[in-house]
Amino acid sequence: VFDQTNYCRNFHKAMRHLVSEVKEERIMTASKNYSVVALAVFLSFWLVFTLKYSETTEGVIRNLINPSPRRTQKDHKVLFILGPGRSGTSLLGDLFNSRKDFIYFFEPLKAIRTYHKIGEPTSIHQLQYMLQEVGEYMKDIVSCNYRSRNDKYINLVHSGGMFFSKMDFLHSPPFCAEGERNCKKKNITSSMMNEMCDHLDEDVTIVIKDLYKNFPYFDPSLIQYVQLNKMKTFHVLQALRDPRAILNSYRKLNWITDNVRKDVNRQASTAVPIFCGRLVHILKHFPKAPGSNKVKYAIFRYDDMAYHDITSIARSLAEFLDVDLSDEFENYLREKTQGEDDFKTASLSLAPRNISLTILNWRKEIPMDLLEQIESTESCQQLLQMLGYKMAENKEVLFDEHNVLVKEPLLLDVIGH
């Protein structure tokens, strides 16, 4: 289970390791270049002083992923849509992607893991590297001011076929000719991204949809350290869903199973407490992290769309973002969530569906041993309580469609403040 103390300890180890490497390398070359030795000693003492006397580890993190300030081109509003997989992040992202006044990025941080073949960081070196890369890449995206060093990620995300079709702005100039849709093989570069940024209106909102797993140590609070001069408040919309439904979906997709021998992290007995523990940590610490005064933070509970009027949900989203959402947006949301299931015309995450039936289906499908494991795990009990879900406890309660497992609405409510 994710442990904050161990998290902080690893950052201290990373910094001490870097100090050690700097000292060793510079001392070996002392006989050749005394000026380099002096510089190394100075840097070593500075790093040690920073680690020993900074008030918080967060201060070290901020320095690490924000090595130098960058000029922002325009003061765009920024919306992050975050959450675990199978929680409705793609649905929310697609809603904003359908509007011309939103520039939508589908899981851009996945490119860092894919390009460098990094799974969950297993060493201090990987953690430090990911912090650096995530911080710099995020700053380029939210400032709409790109550097050539990120061309490897830009081209991977934007021309990867799977991602390309999910971002409508890539089907417009300068990426495609007006009205052209088939330009997937175009080599997209930082200069093209900057050209697009130069022509964006001030009132355009940059939307970044990403999953917890694409952040170092699954911790999305790192976005709060991407500090930009004169930037407007971050809007962070955390898409969450009944954890029993998410874990049942993971089971169906074979992301977790009891039949895995080699990968212990995929075994349900291990995966369930890790999953719940991470989400509890995020809900407890995300809104309270340093710099959160620039973060407007809300929970979007997937299940609420089955029990509350779509008009009120659309209105709440508009108020949260301080934008004018048209009837077209509301109709799109209604079509995606209250129509007939249609998994043949769209991908699994974006297919039109009836959310009320989706909720009933997982309750009928989940194995009782998985349900019992979830509801008997302390971190999962805590998570269910924090998100406002009731315990099922037995088949009678679970199968009764009139027994709603959601407590009072948390529609765009703030948890943890």
Side-chain angles (χ1 to χ4, degrees):
V1 178
F2 189 97
D3 180 70
Q4 173 71 3
T5 302
N6 189 45
Y7 180 54
C8 295
R9 186 183 300 116
N10 282 335
F11 279 115
H12 284 294
K13 285 182 180 178
M15 295 299 97
R16 285 196 295 270
H17 186 76
L18 290 174
V19 171
S20 177
E21 287 188 343
V22 171
K23 292 170 67 176
E24 181 179 352
E25 180 180 349
R26 296 298 189 258
I27 290 173
M28 289 178 61
T29 60
S31 60
K32 297 180 180 179
N33 193 334
Y34 290 100
S35 62
V36 173
V37 174
L39 177 61
V41 172
F42 172 78
L43 290 175
S44 298
F45 276 103
W46 179 82
L47 281 171
V48 172
F49 179 85
T50 301
L51 284 172
K52 293 184 67 176
Y53 297 101
S54 62
E55 292 184 357
T56 63
T57 303
E58 285 80 359
V60 178
I61 302 173
R62 286 197 298 273
N63 291 333
L64 182 63
I65 68 175
N66 293 278
S68 60
R70 299 188 66 236
R71 178 184 61 83
T72 59
Q73 289 184 320
K74 293 180 181 178
D75 192 16
H76 296 296
K77 189 178 297 181
V78 178
L79 167 64
F80 287 95
I81 300 173
L82 307 173
R86 314 301 302 146
S87 64
T89 56
S90 292
L91 170 64
L92 282 173
D94 199 47
L95 292 174
F96 294 109
N97 191 33
S98 65
R99 291 173 53 94
K100 297 300 183 182
D101 52 345
F102 289 83
I103 300 297
Y104 175 59
F105 293 85
F106 179 89
E107 299 184 17
L109 296 186
K110 187 174 183 179
I112 295 176
R113 289 186 180 276
T114 302
Y115 186 89
H116 298 282
K117 298 180 174 61
I118 297 176
E120 182 174 359
T122 56
S123 69
I124 298 300
H125 294 290
Q126 281 190 339
L127 177 60
Q128 189 274 342
Y129 180 80
M130 282 196 68
L131 283 168
Q132 180 74 25
E133 293 296 287
V134 167
E136 292 298 313
Y137 193 31
M138 275 288 193
K139 289 170 71 175
D140 286 350
I141 294 174
V142 300
S143 66
C144 213
N145 188 359
Y146 291 84
R147 292 166 290 182
S148 59
R149 69 182 296 272
N150 284 327
D151 278 350
K152 54 191 176 185
Y153 305 138
I154 292 170
N155 197 53
L156 180 63
V157 172
H158 299 340
S159 302
M162 170 183 168
F163 291 160
F164 184 91
S165 62
K166 297 186 178 183
M167 292 180 283
D168 280 355
F169 75 88
L170 292 176
H171 300 287
S172 304
F175 311 105
C176 294
E178 193 69 43
E180 182 184 5
R181 298 291 296 182
N182 187 22
C183 56
K184 295 182 181 180
K185 295 182 179 180
K186 185 180 290 294
N187 183 34
I188 299 174
T189 65
S190 54
S191 61
M192 295 178 70
M193 296 298 293
N194 284 329
E195 183 181 348
M196 176 201 71
C197 292
D198 289 340
H199 292 87
L200 290 182
D201 294 333
E202 288 284 353
D203 59 354
V204 164
T205 299
I206 296 175
V207 180
I208 302 169
K209 176 265 185 189
D210 225 312
L211 302 179
Y212 294 154
K213 69 177 183 179
N214 291 328
F215 288 87
Y217 271 133
F218 291 67
D219 189 350
S221 65
L222 291 172
I223 66 171
Q224 295 174 109
Y225 303 113
V226 185
Q227 298 175 348
L228 301 168
N229 294 332
K230 300 181 180 179
M231 199 191 74
K232 292 181 179 178
T233 300
F234 280 176
H235 289 74
V236 179
L237 196 57
Q238 297 231 79
L240 292 168
R241 185 182 179 188
D242 191 318
R244 294 162 295 194
I246 296 177
L247 289 166
N248 181 62
S249 183
Y250 288 1
R251 176 193 64 84
K252 291 172 61 179
L253 294 169
N254 202 34
W255 294 355
I256 63 170
T257 176
D258 281 327
N259 299 320
V260 177
R261 295 182 180 180
K262 294 183 179 180
D263 188 354
V264 68
N265 289 324
R266 286 180 58 205
Q267 294 178 8
S269 58
T270 303
V272 167
I274 288 178
F275 172 84
C276 292
R278 282 171 171 160
L279 262 64
V280 168
H281 170 83
I282 290 168
L283 291 176
K284 280 185 174 181
H285 297 284
F286 189 97
K288 297 181 179 180
S292 59
N293 61 321
K294 294 195 71 176
V295 178
K296 189 175 181 181
Y297 169 82
I299 298 291
F300 187 90
R301 195 171 58 177
Y302 180 89
D303 308 73
D304 285 334
M305 291 187 289
Y307 303 114
H308 302 285
D309 180 62
I310 291 296
T311 300
S312 64
I313 292 176
R315 187 181 301 117
S316 295
L317 283 170
E319 292 175 356
F320 173 70
L321 291 172
D322 192 25
V323 296
D324 179 22
L325 295 182
S326 63
D327 292 340
E328 182 182 359
F329 178 88
E330 180 183 331
N331 293 335
Y332 193 90
L333 182 61
R334 182 173 285 105
E335 175 190 343
K336 285 287 187 179
T337 60
Q338 297 187 351
E340 297 295 326
D341 290 355
D342 183 6
F343 299 111
K344 296 180 181 179
T345 61
S347 65
L348 177 64
S349 59
L350 297 179
R353 66 193 64 207
N354 186 316
I355 286 184
S356 297
L357 293 178
T358 301
I359 293 173
L360 290 177
N361 287 339
W362 78 256
R363 290 169 63 168
K364 295 177 180 178
E365 295 170 352
I366 189 170
M368 289 308 296
D369 58 345
L370 178 59
L371 178 71
E372 292 170 0
Q373 182 181 2
I374 295 171
E375 295 196 348
S376 63
T377 300
E378 183 178 355
S379 58
C380 294
Q381 292 173 355
Q382 189 175 4
L383 180 61
L384 287 166
Q385 182 179 10
M386 293 176 74
L387 292 176
Y389 293 102
K390 301 176 184 177
M391 302 285 279
E393 297 179 349
N394 57 58
K395 288 184 178 180
E396 289 70 23
V397 173
L398 192 63
F399 294 164
D400 184 358
E401 61 183 67
H402 300 293
N403 191 344
V404 178
L405 296 180
V406 185
K407 296 180 182 179
E408 290 300 315
L410 289 172
L411 185 61
L412 295 180
D413 195 10
V414 176
I415 294 181
H417 256 334

